[in-house]
Amino acid sequence: MGIQEELLIKAKTNKGVYLLQLTGDITKKSGKQLLEWHNWEAGLPEQSEKLILDLGRVNYINSSGIADLIRLVRIGKDGLYKSGCFGLNYHYEKLFHMVGLTKWLTIYPSEWAAMDTETEVG
Amino acid sequence: MNIQSQFGEEKHVIKQLDLFLSQGVIEEDEYYDIRTAVTEACLNAMEHGNHLQPYLPVRIHFEWLKSRLIIIVKDCGKGFWKIPANRADDRGWGLPFIHHLMDYCTYYIDLTDRCFCLHMEKELKNRLRQEGLSHGYSRGIANQGQNK
């Protein structure tokens, strides 16, 4: 991935889960791209109830990108949708905890766990 | 090294940092801590110090002091007198990250160069270990560079 390339977003819906596969970097510019990907305030597409971010192909997230993730998750927290992610490395998990993002964003250990809508913990 | 004051330039610093850190043995968590602190310092310097004026440089200096890594990021701004509080738009996490991830951090005006300096230090656990005796992260960084 070159220095100028930012974020590639692929979406799919499966059993009430709206999965966004993110590839690249989450920065000020690409964070805006993520916020403008969909009208999040209208809820998720196809009446999905859960937003899952696949972060396994994200190499770099800066503080502006984290701010945009907070915004994205905060839009859903008042009943519009639940949010989760998987593929996050330990370092970013530490930063997410630090900024309080994990209050509203569940970190799953795998795609399988994230896509499971039958068993919800907490 | 010098970079221009525009977003994305901080990724050039990551490449230079990888090269610099590949000289020693470093744990993976230390590497990510340093990478985040350096990029956030550069972003602050570009945005708040140089107001994203591309012709104004941000200067980055790396140095080892035995097992201590010293990084100085310089911009052309006036600096700040107190650490700004997090803003309502959820931004402003750069400095808290730097303070949390590095062992020591201070700011000063360099009167010789007439610039604002952010000085950070981190003590590395395995820096003085002989390479080859540790399962450190140095080779991983070197290989990453080759693969790109």
Side-chain angles (χ1 to χ4, degrees):
Chain A
M1 185 129 308
I3 274 176
Q4 296 307 316
E5 287 177 69
E6 285 284 339
L7 188 67
L8 183 70
I9 305 173
K10 281 185 188 169
K12 67 176 179 183
T13 310
N14 185 20
K15 293 180 185 170
V17 178
Y18 188 62
L19 173 70
L20 284 186
Q21 188 189 78
L22 307 178
T23 305
D25 303 329
I26 306 181
T27 61
K28 189 172 187 174
K29 187 176 159 194
S30 59
K32 194 175 173 221
Q33 181 193 344
L34 185 61
L35 288 173
E36 290 173 353
W37 173 260
H38 170 72
N39 179 15
W40 301 106
E41 281 164 12
L44 297 178
E46 298 178 45
Q47 295 179 324
S48 301
E49 294 173 349
K50 194 170 163 184
L51 170 68
I52 294 294
L53 305 173
D54 175 359
L55 300 173
R57 294 169 189 82
V58 173
N59 291 320
Y60 169 61
I61 310 175
N62 68 21
S63 58
S64 300
I66 290 178
D68 289 329
L69 288 177
I70 294 173
R71 237 171 284 166
L72 175 63
V73 169
R74 191 180 272 168
I75 294 169
K77 82 175 177 67
D78 293 326
L80 275 176
Y81 52 85
K82 291 176 183 171
S83 302
C85 69
F86 65 92
L88 194 62
N89 82 13
Y90 170 73
H91 176 72
Y92 289 116
E93 191 174 326
K94 185 167 75 177
L95 298 186
F96 282 16
H97 277 292
M98 202 183 139
V99 302
L101 186 54
T102 47
K103 275 190 279 186
W104 308 307
L105 178 81
T106 307
I107 298 173
Y108 293 98
S110 64
E111 179 173 1
W112 177 80
M115 299 302 283
D116 181 18
T117 49
E118 301 295 317
T119 46
E120 279 293 337
V121 181
Chain B
M1 73 175 294
N2 286 8
I3 55 169
Q4 290 183 320
S5 296
Q6 51 191 19
F7 291 132
E9 285 284 309
E10 76 280 8
K11 291 176 199 169
H12 293 292
V13 183
I14 295 176
K15 287 194 169 183
Q16 198 63 34
L17 178 74
D18 287 357
L19 205 63
F20 186 77
L21 293 179
S22 67
Q23 297 166 11
V25 178
I26 180 168
E27 299 289 327
E28 187 173 351
D29 60 335
E30 291 173 331
Y31 167 69
Y32 279 108
D33 286 354
I34 295 163
R35 193 177 89 156
T36 293
V38 171
T39 51
E40 291 301 327
C42 291
L43 288 167
N44 279 347
M46 290 189 278
E47 188 175 5
H48 305 297
N50 293 351
H51 300 284
L52 295 174
Q53 300 297 315
Y55 56 88
L56 293 177
V58 172
R59 278 169 282 176
I60 304 104
H61 173 77
F62 305 114
E63 184 184 325
W64 289 113
L65 187 65
K66 293 185 179 173
S67 59
R68 214 165 175 82
L69 175 66
I70 298 171
I71 301 163
I72 302 168
V73 177
K74 299 180 177 183
D75 64 54
C76 307
K78 294 175 188 167
F80 47 85
W81 295 105
K82 61 176 184 177
I83 296 176
N86 287 356
R87 301 197 304 257
D89 63 358
D90 297 315
R91 296 197 62 209
W93 285 103
L95 277 175
F97 283 164
I98 292 167
H99 279 275
H100 186 81
L101 300 173
M102 300 299 275
D103 293 330
Y104 175 74
C105 179
T106 190
Y107 326 95
Y108 55 87
I109 301 279
D110 182 333
L111 293 174
T112 312
D113 281 352
R114 294 188 178 189
C115 58
F116 176 70
C117 302
L118 189 152
H119 176 119
M120 307 176 270
E121 295 184 11
K122 191 165 180 82
E123 185 75 34
L124 302 182
K125 283 173 256 176
N126 293 325
R127 162 67 180 154
L128 296 179
R129 242 199 249 180
Q130 290 280 320
E131 197 172 352
L133 297 176
S134 160
H135 297 289
Y137 197 54
S138 62
R139 284 196 190 84
I141 293 168
N143 292 342
Q144 264 182 15
Q146 285 166 7
N147 292 338
K148 280 177 184 173

